[in-house]
């Protein structure tokens, strides 16, 4: 099924390897992506890099 309407998507674990690839794909397709990640197994630079790609800044929920 192909989504033709941009959606707001929550990606859990979005700073890890699989999550970062998923984020890139969703952003390239025009979706708004929200990432939830405890950063226990990822680098902070991963979120900074994708935020730059998306044209915004990462926000901390803490």
């Amino acid at each position: 099924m192909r989504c033709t309407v941009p959606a707001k998507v929550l990606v859990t674990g979005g700073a890890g390897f699989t999550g970062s690839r998923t984020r890139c794909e969703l952003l390239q397709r025009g979706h708004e992506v929200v990432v939830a990640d405890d950063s226990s197994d990822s680098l902070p630079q991963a979120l900074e890099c994708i935020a730059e790609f998306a044209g915004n800044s990462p926000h901390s929920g803490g």
Side-chain angles (χ1 to χ4, degrees), residues 9-30:
V9 181
L10 171 65
V11 178
T12 58
F17 179 77
T18 303
S20 65
R21 301 304 308 156
T22 301
R23 288 177 305 168
C24 286
E25 188 66 30
L26 289 167
L27 287 168
Q28 288 174 341
R29 293 177 184 222

